[in-house]
Amino acid sequence: MPKFFTARENIKETTLVIDNEDANHIKKVLRIGVGDEITVCDGAGMDYRVSITSIQKSLIECEILERKKCDTEPDIEITLYQGLPKAAKMDYIIQKNTELGISRIVPAKLSRCVVKLEGKSAEEKKCERWQKIANEAAKQSGRGVVPKIAEPMDIDEIIESVKDSDLVFVPYECEEESRLKTLLNTAKDAKRISFIIGPEGGFDALEIEKLKNAGIKPVTLGKRILRTETAAEAVVSMIMYEYDEI
């Protein structure tokens, strides 16, 4: 059954409306009509099986037939701090990690990032576009929660931000001993996990030193060096596997 999203304020006791881009997609692309059933999600973990009662120019009205908690969401919350990569790599990173079940993605302004977001306006514009990519990936993969694309942070802001996490680590190509699998096996009760991925040029030595001083553990992902657009996808897959979520 097709799945779409609507804002929580659009949901009433027995009815809901869809007034976003999904409304046009339903009407013009999928050709779904009055009387057809679809699944609508509030983006916060609740699914609604509904029947379409009215299709207007930019609004679709539905009757709620059933509501239930979405069963596709993992029990753990994963936050990725992603060093800003070049070109369309960030689009790929957001899309694939959303499919895998990530909760939040934070663009990281690290010293070796080639891409620079100059000014608040540029950051907001990029984040708005990235959020749309997350929304689409969440819809296509049957998610019940749309990952939040946060405002970009620098290394000091990241260190402050991860303090609420149960487990924090940084995959680092120069680390040779501490393995991710070993770290995950020692933190089976963790519910909030955060990790930081460097950009194409990797981490600056001073950044790694700051992270270590803050108690953030470097780990190795194996004998091969992964590209920045591959690393996060691999890490989230490993986490989900170790926590029986995949």
Side-chain angles (χ1 to χ4, degrees):
M1 185 183 296
K3 187 171 188 176
F4 306 93
F5 285 90
T6 194
R8 297 181 74 179
E9 56 264 28
N10 288 340
I11 302 171
K12 308 303 180 185
E13 187 64 30
T14 60
T15 62
L16 63 79
V17 297
I18 302 170
D19 59 359
N20 52 25
E21 293 177 357
D22 281 350
N24 283 328
H25 187 67
I26 290 169
K27 183 173 62 174
K28 296 180 179 179
V29 180
L30 298 179
R31 306 280 184 183
I32 295 174
V34 172
D36 289 335
E37 292 185 12
I38 58 174
T39 299
V40 181
C41 184
D42 63 2
M46 286 297 294
D47 281 346
Y48 300 81
R49 182 170 65 88
V50 305
S51 175
I52 295 175
T53 56
S54 173
I55 297 179
Q56 302 175 31
K57 185 176 181 180
S58 58
L59 185 78
I60 292 178
E61 297 177 340
C62 304
E63 176 190 3
I64 297 174
L65 304 176
E66 180 186 16
R67 63 182 76 203
K68 64 178 182 177
K69 186 176 181 181
C70 178
D71 60 4
T72 62
E73 288 303 308
D75 290 331
I76 52 175
E77 296 179 9
I78 303 175
T79 297
L80 159 65
Y81 295 83
Q82 173 65 52
L84 284 167
K86 295 185 289 185
K89 292 178 182 179
M90 193 66 169
D91 298 4
Y92 176 89
I93 291 166
I94 291 169
Q95 183 186 66
K96 298 309 172 188
N97 285 285
T98 295
E99 292 174 15
L100 287 166
I102 206 163
S103 301
R104 183 167 168 256
I105 298 175
V106 183
K109 299 184 288 187
L110 303 175
S111 62
R112 291 183 180 173
C113 289
V114 176
V115 173
K116 306 293 182 184
L117 299 179
E118 301 295 343
K120 194 71 173 176
S121 178
E123 289 185 0
E124 289 175 354
K125 189 175 180 180
K126 278 285 190 182
C127 286
E128 183 178 343
R129 179 175 174 278
W130 289 332
Q131 188 64 64
K132 287 183 179 179
I133 292 170
N135 293 353
E136 283 300 310
K139 181 170 61 179
Q140 291 169 359
S141 57
R143 292 286 303 271
V145 174
V146 178
K148 170 69 176 176
I149 308 302
E151 293 182 1
M153 296 184 185
D154 61 27
I155 194 71
D156 294 319
E157 291 169 325
I158 290 171
I159 290 171
E160 186 65 28
S161 176
V162 300
K163 287 182 178 179
D164 290 335
S165 298
D166 300 321
L167 177 65
V168 189
F169 60 89
V170 52
Y172 184 44
E173 66 271 17
C174 294
E175 176 60 40
E176 297 180 350
E177 296 182 2
S178 298
R179 299 171 62 219
L180 177 56
K181 182 178 177 66
T182 303
L183 180 63
L184 294 176
N185 282 333
T186 63
K188 285 295 187 179
D189 293 333
K191 293 296 183 182
R192 296 182 302 276
I193 301 174
S194 297
F195 67 100
I196 307 117
I197 295 292
E200 288 91 345
F203 290 96
D204 179 90
L206 291 178
E207 290 172 334
I208 288 294
E209 197 61 31
K210 275 189 174 184
L211 294 173
K212 285 182 178 179
N213 290 338
I216 298 171
K217 302 174 182 178
V219 296
T220 176
L221 297 181
K223 299 177 182 179
R224 294 162 297 282
I225 295 176
L226 303 181
R227 291 176 179 268
T228 188
E229 67 270 28
T230 307
E233 187 178 1
V235 169
V236 174
S237 298
M238 294 174 197
I239 294 172
M240 292 297 183
Y241 180 81
E242 288 295 329
Y243 284 80
D244 296 323
E245 294 286 354
I246 199 170

